[in-house]
Amino acid sequence: MGKPAIAIARAIFPQIIERLQIHFEVLANQSDELWSQPQMIEKLRGRAGLFATGTERIDAALLSECPHLEICANMSVGYNNFDLQAMSAAGVVGTNAPGVLTETTADFGFALLMATARRVTEGEHFLRGGHWTRWAYDLFAGAEVHGSTLGILGMGRIGQGIARRGAHGFGMRVIYHNRSRLDAATEEQCKARFVGKEELLRTADHLVLVLPYSAQSHHAIGAAEIALMKPGATLINIARGGIVDDAALAAALKSGKLAAAGLDVFEGEPQVHPDLLSVPNVVLTPHIASATLPTRLAMANLAADNLIAHLVNGTPLTPLNAVRRDRRPFDGR
Ligand code: 8YV
């Protein structure tokens, strides 16, 4: 009996490929060519698993063309690339990579908050441009971080990590809004107070977005929400593009309604809205919040573990949907 066949959608650590080759016949993509949807279907024909990075769209149309597929394993905590309803209907498990990137991503959220509030990149561009000729009392004066009010929209693991950093490291008052309120012990650890979304918007000096993307969270921060925010507040998005209306945000940065924004994610990335590129008071980074090599390796290992756990042992480690394994037997095993 042959090994099950899997595909890896993007270039990845060589040691992950070696691990997977012990258990599977592996189609790797070390040239990192981006597969179109028809190419993805072609690559997945006859394969039982996909190692995905969080951007590959898995929907009903693809699933109907890939009847051997049993599992798609994301090396990301976000999974808005999966149509989970269609996957469940087709008997395909989706898995993500929670937990292993929490602290690294929270570090980055805080780095972006600091850089944004204290105008780090604006100052650097000014210096590199040769404009620094003398000291001035208000040169790149920014917003206070310590002792200010930190608002967090989306209080999962990463939101809690940012809350702990703000409360314990910087003496910030932390308020949060979430679909459901945290238990009292977790609120106490994070020193965070639950508020309604409107109070969050009206009260935060720095608002950090860490909520998952879905049809419900599309443009959770648009022109109406920005209008409710404190004049001179800062906005940080490390969640997903599409949660913020980028055009409305650019307008608020231009008008001075918001002092500054820090963005790691964008609508339609890797494209960035031209109005955001033309305003100075925004720190822009290319979706790197989880990007340290140890963390990316841990994320990739968890995706590999999920493929092995499901296809070899029958039970995925971090499933996003419940699927009966016997619905999709793999013929070649
Ligand atoms: C990934 C992320 O690097 O885990 C997530 O949800 O956004 C990042 O850590 C990104 O999804 C690209 O794979």
Side-chain angles (χ1 to χ4, degrees), residues 201-212:
L201 295 169
R202 288 190 190 281
T203 315
D205 295 308
H206 307 285
L207 178 62
V208 182
L209 309 177
V210 208
L211 66 167

Side-chain angles (χ1 to χ4, degrees), residues 16-319:
I16 296 294
I17 300 178
E18 284 163 24
R19 260 196 83 196
L20 289 168
Q21 279 170 337
I22 296 169
H23 305 277
F24 307 118
E25 188 251 295
V26 176
L27 171 69
N29 180 16
Q30 290 304 74
S31 63
D32 208 29
E33 99 195 57
L34 292 180
W35 294 340
S36 65
Q37 205 65 348
Q39 283 170 325
M40 178 68 85
I41 289 169
E42 192 51 43
K43 308 281 184 194
L44 288 179
R45 279 231 172 86
R47 295 188 184 273
L50 172 68
F51 182 112
T53 64
T55 53
E56 303 76 7
R57 181 88 196 129
I58 305 299
D59 57 16
L62 177 139
L63 292 165
S64 67
E65 300 283 338
C66 304
H68 290 94
L69 197 59
E70 296 183 45
I71 175 169
C72 298
N74 266 351
M75 65 162 281
S76 62
V77 68
Y79 51 88
N80 52 298
N81 58 319
F82 291 160
D83 179 340
L84 279 181
Q85 219 178 337
M87 288 170 75
S88 299
V92 174
V93 175
T95 63
N96 67 340
V100 290
L101 47 60
T102 303
E103 299 302 329
T104 301
T105 305
D107 282 349
F108 188 85
F110 224 86
L112 199 51
L113 191 164
M114 296 288 287
T116 303
R118 296 304 304 275
R119 307 178 65 182
V120 171
T121 56
E122 264 186 282
E124 184 182 351
H125 287 140
F126 174 83
L127 181 151
R128 283 182 189 273
H131 306 297
W132 188 31
T133 53
R134 56 187 181 165
W135 177 90
Y137 77 94
D138 60 349
L139 185 65
F140 291 105
E144 293 294 9
V145 174
H146 74 274
S148 64
T149 299
L150 171 61
I152 301 176
L153 185 57
M155 197 65 157
R157 295 180 190 82
I158 298 168
Q160 291 168 33
I162 291 170
R164 287 194 306 272
R165 282 159 178 76
H168 300 295
F170 291 82
M172 298 171 92
R173 282 178 300 280
V174 182
I175 53 177
Y176 76 96
H177 184 70
N178 197 43
R179 266 176 311 190
S180 51
R181 189 174 168 173
L182 300 178
D183 61 68
T186 311
E187 281 190 351
E188 178 52 33
Q189 266 171 19
C190 298
K191 300 259 175 277
R193 186 168 65 85
F194 181 79
V195 295
K197 185 176 172 186
E198 188 170 331
E199 185 179 343
L200 184 84
L201 295 169
R202 288 190 190 281
T203 315
D205 295 308
H206 307 285
L207 178 62
V208 182
L209 309 177
V210 208
L211 66 167
Y213 181 80
S214 66
Q216 292 71 44
S217 65
H218 181 75
H219 286 186
I221 302 293
E225 289 75 17
I226 292 171
L228 292 177
M229 288 176 70
K230 251 188 180 175
T234 62
L235 178 70
I236 309 298
N237 187 7
I238 58 164
R240 275 290 178 273
I243 289 176
V244 174
D245 177 342
D246 285 348
L249 174 60
L253 291 168
K254 211 169 183 170
S255 73
K257 161 75 193 186
L258 295 183
L263 306 174
D264 187 48
V265 289
F266 305 88
E267 290 189 286
E269 64 187 50
Q271 306 304 320
V272 176
H273 196 291
D275 292 355
L276 286 173
L277 292 172
S278 67
V279 285
N281 47 341
V282 57
V283 180
L284 306 167
T285 54
H287 204 147
I288 54 170
S290 67
T292 67
L293 286 178
T295 291
R296 285 280 165 85
L297 184 59
M299 294 159 72
N301 265 312
L302 183 47
D305 289 343
N306 268 309
L307 288 164
I308 297 163
H310 186 62
L311 291 174
V312 179
N313 306 323
T315 318
L317 303 177
T318 54

